[in-house]
Amino acid sequence: MDLNIHSSFLPHDDPDAALAFYRDTLGFEVRNDVGYDGMRWITVGPKGQPASIVLHPPAADPGITEDERRTITEMMAKGTYGGINLSTHDLDEVFTRLQAGDADVVQEPTEQPYGVRDCAFRDPAGNMIRIQELS
C-alpha cells in the first residue's frame, strides 16, 4: 500500500502571527494562503517535503455549535487543543534557533524515559510543537 501523510491541521487565532512563526521561526515554506469571508487558511511545510500543515481559523466548520466553538477557543487559550510532532537530526541546533527566535519554550531538550530525546514549544495560538531528535 502506498499511503502518505499529506496534511494535518492546526488552528490559529491570528493568521499573521501564525505565518511569522511557521515561515520565519520554523523556516517552513508557504504553499498556499487562502482567504474566505474574512478568514485565512495558510498551508505551510518543510522545504523539499510533501507533508503540509494547514493553519486554519478555529471552529470555522459551520456544523460546530457555539458551545463547541467556545470550548475550542478556551482550550486553545490554555494550549490544550492542538499539536504536532516534528523531527530533526540536530535537536540542539533547532532548539537554539527557535529559542533565539523568541518561541514559547515549554520544554528544553530532554531524554524521555520512553526512549526519545525531544523538546517542546507552543506556537502563537497555543498549539504544542514537539520536536523529536532522530537517531
Side-chain angles (χ1 to χ4, degrees), residues 108-123:
E108 295 188 3
T110 302
E111 293 285 344
Q112 300 292 352
Y114 41 88
V116 300
R117 183 168 185 263
D118 68 357
C119 66
F121 294 86
R122 290 201 191 282
D123 76 4

PDB file of all heavy atoms in Angstrom, residues 108-123:
ATOM      1  N   GLU A 108      12.894  22.171  27.414  1.00  0.00           N
ATOM      2  CA  GLU A 108      14.212  22.132  26.784  1.00  0.00           C
ATOM      3  C   GLU A 108      14.500  20.700  26.323  1.00  0.00           C
ATOM      4  O   GLU A 108      13.821  19.764  26.761  1.00  0.00           O
ATOM      5  CB  GLU A 108      15.260  22.619  27.767  1.00  0.00           C
ATOM      6  CG  GLU A 108      15.062  24.079  28.129  1.00  0.00           C
ATOM      7  CD  GLU A 108      16.210  24.642  28.949  1.00  0.00           C
ATOM      8  OE1 GLU A 108      17.196  23.927  29.206  1.00  0.00           O
ATOM      9  OE2 GLU A 108      16.116  25.816  29.327  1.00  0.00           O
ATOM     10  N   PRO A 109      15.512  20.488  25.474  1.00  0.00           N
ATOM     11  CA  PRO A 109      15.836  19.126  25.041  1.00  0.00           C
ATOM     12  C   PRO A 109      16.022  18.199  26.240  1.00  0.00           C
ATOM     13  O   PRO A 109      16.787  18.497  27.158  1.00  0.00           O
ATOM     14  CB  PRO A 109      17.132  19.310  24.252  1.00  0.00           C
ATOM     15  CG  PRO A 109      17.025  20.696  23.699  1.00  0.00           C
ATOM     16  CD  PRO A 109      16.363  21.495  24.806  1.00  0.00           C
ATOM     17  N   THR A 110      15.297  17.075  26.199  1.00  0.00           N
ATOM     18  CA  THR A 110      15.245  16.154  27.333  1.00  0.00           C
ATOM     19  C   THR A 110      15.234  14.709  26.839  1.00  0.00           C
ATOM     20  O   THR A 110      14.526  14.386  25.892  1.00  0.00           O
ATOM     21  CB  THR A 110      13.943  16.403  28.146  1.00  0.00           C
ATOM     22  OG1 THR A 110      13.920  17.762  28.567  1.00  0.00           O
ATOM     23  CG2 THR A 110      13.848  15.477  29.340  1.00  0.00           C
ATOM     24  N   GLU A 111      16.012  13.869  27.512  1.00  0.00           N
ATOM     25  CA  GLU A 111      15.928  12.422  27.258  1.00  0.00           C
ATOM     26  C   GLU A 111      14.689  11.913  27.976  1.00  0.00           C
ATOM     27  O   GLU A 111      14.599  12.000  29.200  1.00  0.00           O
ATOM     28  CB  GLU A 111      17.165  11.697  27.799  1.00  0.00           C
ATOM     29  CG  GLU A 111      18.448  12.026  27.103  1.00  0.00           C
ATOM     30  CD  GLU A 111      18.584  11.373  25.730  1.00  0.00           C
ATOM     31  OE1 GLU A 111      17.820  10.419  25.439  1.00  0.00           O
ATOM     32  OE2 GLU A 111      19.440  11.825  24.961  1.00  0.00           O
ATOM     33  N   GLN A 112      13.726  11.389  27.227  1.00  0.00           N
ATOM     34  CA  GLN A 112      12.486  10.911  27.828  1.00  0.00           C
ATOM     35  C   GLN A 112      12.658   9.457  28.288  1.00  0.00           C
ATOM     36  O   GLN A 112      13.407   8.695  27.675  1.00  0.00           O
ATOM     37  CB  GLN A 112      11.334  11.004  26.818  1.00  0.00           C
ATOM     38  CG  GLN A 112      11.075  12.411  26.332  1.00  0.00           C
ATOM     39  CD  GLN A 112      10.528  13.331  27.420  1.00  0.00           C
ATOM     40  OE1 GLN A 112      10.189  12.890  28.524  1.00  0.00           O
ATOM     41  NE2 GLN A 112      10.462  14.622  27.122  1.00  0.00           N
ATOM     42  N   PRO A 113      11.961   9.060  29.343  1.00  0.00           N
ATOM     43  CA  PRO A 113      12.091   7.682  29.840  1.00  0.00           C
ATOM     44  C   PRO A 113      11.584   6.638  28.846  1.00  0.00           C
ATOM     45  O   PRO A 113      11.894   5.456  28.972  1.00  0.00           O
ATOM     46  CB  PRO A 113      11.235   7.685  31.118  1.00  0.00           C
ATOM     47  CG  PRO A 113      10.385   8.886  31.031  1.00  0.00           C
ATOM     48  CD  PRO A 113      11.084   9.870  30.154  1.00  0.00           C
ATOM     49  N   TYR A 114      10.825   7.077  27.840  1.00  0.00           N
ATOM     50  CA  TYR A 114      10.305   6.143  26.831  1.00  0.00           C
ATOM     51  C   TYR A 114      11.201   6.072  25.596  1.00  0.00           C
ATOM     52  O   TYR A 114      10.799   5.575  24.548  1.00  0.00           O
ATOM     53  CB  TYR A 114       8.861   6.475  26.454  1.00  0.00           C
ATOM     54  CG  TYR A 114       8.568   7.949  26.295  1.00  0.00           C
ATOM     55  CD1 TYR A 114       8.748   8.584  25.073  1.00  0.00           C
ATOM     56  CD2 TYR A 114       8.118   8.690  27.376  1.00  0.00           C
ATOM     57  CE1 TYR A 114       8.465   9.931  24.933  1.00  0.00           C
ATOM     58  CE2 TYR A 114       7.847  10.041  27.236  1.00  0.00           C
ATOM     59  CZ  TYR A 114       8.017  10.656  26.020  1.00  0.00           C
ATOM     60  OH  TYR A 114       7.758  11.989  25.882  1.00  0.00           O
ATOM     61  N   GLY A 115      12.431   6.606  25.698  1.00  0.00           N
ATOM     62  CA  GLY A 115      13.419   6.345  24.677  1.00  0.00           C
ATOM     63  C   GLY A 115      13.609   7.369  23.581  1.00  0.00           C
ATOM     64  O   GLY A 115      14.284   7.085  22.597  1.00  0.00           O
ATOM     65  N   VAL A 116      13.044   8.559  23.721  1.00  0.00           N
ATOM     66  CA  VAL A 116      13.293   9.603  22.723  1.00  0.00           C
ATOM     67  C   VAL A 116      13.862  10.836  23.414  1.00  0.00           C
ATOM     68  O   VAL A 116      13.698  11.027  24.622  1.00  0.00           O
ATOM     69  CB  VAL A 116      12.015  10.003  21.951  1.00  0.00           C
ATOM     70  CG1 VAL A 116      11.421   8.818  21.223  1.00  0.00           C
ATOM     71  CG2 VAL A 116      11.004  10.645  22.862  1.00  0.00           C
ATOM     72  N   ARG A 117      14.542  11.637  22.646  1.00  0.00           N
ATOM     73  CA  ARG A 117      15.021  12.944  23.125  1.00  0.00           C
ATOM     74  C   ARG A 117      14.235  13.989  22.358  1.00  0.00           C
ATOM     75  O   ARG A 117      14.202  13.961  21.120  1.00  0.00           O
ATOM     76  CB  ARG A 117      16.518  13.091  22.860  1.00  0.00           C
ATOM     77  CG  ARG A 117      17.121  14.372  23.391  1.00  0.00           C
ATOM     78  CD  ARG A 117      18.657  14.301  23.336  1.00  0.00           C
ATOM     79  NE  ARG A 117      19.241  15.461  23.944  1.00  0.00           N
ATOM     80  CZ  ARG A 117      19.662  16.530  23.250  1.00  0.00           C
ATOM     81  NH1 ARG A 117      19.616  16.520  21.931  1.00  0.00           N
ATOM     82  NH2 ARG A 117      20.150  17.576  23.884  1.00  0.00           N
ATOM     83  N   ASP A 118      13.580  14.897  23.092  1.00  0.00           N
ATOM     84  CA  ASP A 118      12.764  15.891  22.418  1.00  0.00           C
ATOM     85  C   ASP A 118      12.719  17.194  23.193  1.00  0.00           C
ATOM     86  O   ASP A 118      13.223  17.295  24.318  1.00  0.00           O
ATOM     87  CB  ASP A 118      11.351  15.354  22.161  1.00  0.00           C
ATOM     88  CG  ASP A 118      10.521  15.130  23.414  1.00  0.00           C
ATOM     89  OD1 ASP A 118      11.053  15.341  24.533  1.00  0.00           O
ATOM     90  OD2 ASP A 118       9.361  14.748  23.287  1.00  0.00           O
ATOM     91  N   CYS A 119      12.138  18.215  22.562  1.00  0.00           N
ATOM     92  CA  CYS A 119      11.871  19.490  23.211  1.00  0.00           C
ATOM     93  C   CYS A 119      10.471  19.916  22.787  1.00  0.00           C
ATOM     94  O   CYS A 119       9.852  19.275  21.938  1.00  0.00           O
ATOM     95  CB  CYS A 119      12.914  20.542  22.832  1.00  0.00           C
ATOM     96  SG  CYS A 119      12.916  21.038  21.099  1.00  0.00           S
ATOM     97  N   ALA A 120       9.966  20.981  23.388  1.00  0.00           N
ATOM     98  CA  ALA A 120       8.599  21.402  23.067  1.00  0.00           C
ATOM     99  C   ALA A 120       8.471  22.916  23.111  1.00  0.00           C
ATOM    100  O   ALA A 120       9.097  23.584  23.945  1.00  0.00           O
ATOM    101  CB  ALA A 120       7.618  20.755  24.040  1.00  0.00           C
ATOM    102  N   PHE A 121       7.654  23.416  22.215  1.00  0.00           N
ATOM    103  CA  PHE A 121       7.327  24.840  22.113  1.00  0.00           C
ATOM    104  C   PHE A 121       5.823  24.961  21.925  1.00  0.00           C
ATOM    105  O   PHE A 121       5.143  24.001  21.608  1.00  0.00           O
ATOM    106  CB  PHE A 121       7.996  25.457  20.869  1.00  0.00           C
ATOM    107  CG  PHE A 121       9.480  25.491  20.937  1.00  0.00           C
ATOM    108  CD1 PHE A 121      10.234  24.389  20.539  1.00  0.00           C
ATOM    109  CD2 PHE A 121      10.135  26.610  21.390  1.00  0.00           C
ATOM    110  CE1 PHE A 121      11.608  24.409  20.596  1.00  0.00           C
ATOM    111  CE2 PHE A 121      11.518  26.636  21.446  1.00  0.00           C
ATOM    112  CZ  PHE A 121      12.254  25.548  21.047  1.00  0.00           C
ATOM    113  N   ARG A 122       5.320  26.182  22.096  1.00  0.00           N
ATOM    114  CA  ARG A 122       3.943  26.487  21.706  1.00  0.00           C
ATOM    115  C   ARG A 122       4.010  27.503  20.572  1.00  0.00           C
ATOM    116  O   ARG A 122       4.845  28.411  20.578  1.00  0.00           O
ATOM    117  CB  ARG A 122       3.156  27.076  22.862  1.00  0.00           C
ATOM    118  CG  ARG A 122       2.880  26.065  23.944  1.00  0.00           C
ATOM    119  CD  ARG A 122       1.705  26.493  24.803  1.00  0.00           C
ATOM    120  NE  ARG A 122       1.629  25.659  25.983  1.00  0.00           N
ATOM    121  CZ  ARG A 122       1.133  24.426  25.996  1.00  0.00           C
ATOM    122  NH1 ARG A 122       0.646  23.904  24.893  1.00  0.00           N
ATOM    123  NH2 ARG A 122       1.116  23.722  27.098  1.00  0.00           N
ATOM    124  N   ASP A 123       3.113  27.340  19.595  1.00  0.00           N
ATOM    125  CA  ASP A 123       3.018  28.348  18.543  1.00  0.00           C
ATOM    126  C   ASP A 123       2.179  29.516  19.066  1.00  0.00           C
ATOM    127  O   ASP A 123       1.660  29.456  20.186  1.00  0.00           O
ATOM    128  CB  ASP A 123       2.512  27.724  17.232  1.00  0.00           C
ATOM    129  CG  ASP A 123       1.022  27.444  17.229  1.00  0.00           C
ATOM    130  OD1 ASP A 123       0.310  27.781  18.191  1.00  0.00           O
ATOM    131  OD2 ASP A 123       0.566  26.865  16.226  1.00  0.00           O
TER     132      ASP A 123
END
